[in-house]
Amino acid sequence: MKITILDKNPEEEDEIIVKCSSLDENIVRLLNTMKTEKGKMIFYREEKIYPLEEKDILYFESVENRVFAYTNDGVFESKDKLYMLEESLSKTDFMRANKSTILNLNKVESLSPAFGSRFEAVLENGCKIIISRMYVSELKKMLGLE
């Protein structure tokens, strides 16, 4: 892969051009990351609104029909359902870990096999998330292990 960086005139807008024979999954993921990097998601806590960047979210969890985003700064509530978040984050480094959790793979510090063909992910804040066997193959695919 060749990367070229060119200077631009001050009046020109920043531009990224991708030349490829086909858009593979890695290129699509990279493009989506760049597009959403400036975008923020809206969350709520104690009747206040918090715009958060996706990259700051460790994981999402559904508890009693409510969805929460966990960050190093605390827990925030989302008005979206878990399946809606999963859909909107499908081309990013987020993945469904189990029935009630979506995990940010960029926040995983380590992975280890767990009982019953499952995996345990330890996040950068020390939190442990179980990846059910139903999603282990997706995990391996996203990590390039398959």
Side-chain angles (χ1 to χ4, degrees), residues 4 18 24 43 55 61 85 91 104-105 109 136 141-142:
T4 305
V18 177
D24 66 17
F43 297 96
K55 66 182 180 73
E61 183 177 37
L85 290 169
K91 301 292 185 198
N104 183 349
L105 289 177
E109 192 172 273
V136 167
K141 181 179 170 188
M142 288 182 77

Side-chain angles (χ1 to χ4, degrees), residues 4-10 12-15:
T4 305
I5 300 174
L6 304 172
D7 287 331
K8 66 175 184 67
N9 294 326
E12 290 180 314
E13 183 179 354
D14 289 342
E15 176 182 29

Side-chain angles (χ1 to χ4, degrees), residues 4 11 33 44 49 54 59 61 70 75 78 88 94 129 143:
T4 305
E11 67 275 358
T33 299
Y44 303 86
I49 298 170
E54 286 178 12
Y59 65 99
E61 183 177 37
Y70 293 79
V75 180
S78 172
S88 69
F94 284 84
I129 302 290
L143 295 175

Side-chain angles (χ1 to χ4, degrees), residues 7 18 41 54 64 70 73 79 82 105 121 125-126 139 142:
D7 287 331
V18 177
M41 300 173 76
E54 286 178 12
E64 297 178 0
Y70 293 79
D73 296 325
K79 299 295 183 196
L82 203 61
L105 289 177
N125 69 346
L139 170 69
M142 288 182 77

Side-chain angles (χ1 to χ4, degrees), residues 52-126:
L52 301 174
E53 294 189 31
E54 286 178 12
K55 66 182 180 73
D56 294 329
I57 298 168
L58 299 165
Y59 65 99
F60 295 97
E61 183 177 37
S62 176
V63 179
E64 297 178 0
N65 291 322
R66 295 168 67 193
V67 175
F68 299 94
Y70 293 79
T71 70
N72 286 325
D73 296 325
V75 180
F76 302 85
E77 187 171 358
S78 172
K79 299 295 183 196
D80 292 330
K81 297 291 185 193
L82 203 61
Y83 75 89
M84 295 166 68
L85 290 169
E86 181 180 23
E87 194 174 286
S88 69
L89 298 167
S90 66
K91 301 292 185 198
T92 65
D93 288 324
F94 284 84
M95 65 160 285
R96 180 70 77 125
N98 56 56
K99 183 179 172 183
S100 62
T101 309
I102 296 173
L103 177 64
N104 183 349
L105 289 177
N106 292 322
K107 301 296 183 180
V108 174
E109 192 172 273
S110 67
L111 292 163
S112 58
F115 181 73
S117 301
R118 301 177 304 168
F119 271 76
E120 180 181 76
V122 178
L123 304 182
E124 62 185 27
N125 69 346

Side-chain angles (χ1 to χ4, degrees), residues 26-42:
N26 291 328
I27 293 173
V28 170
R29 184 177 293 141
L30 175 66
L31 293 172
N32 282 327
T33 299
M34 287 188 291
K35 279 195 272 184
T36 60
E37 198 66 29
K38 291 181 183 176
K40 295 189 178 197
M41 300 173 76
I42 302 299

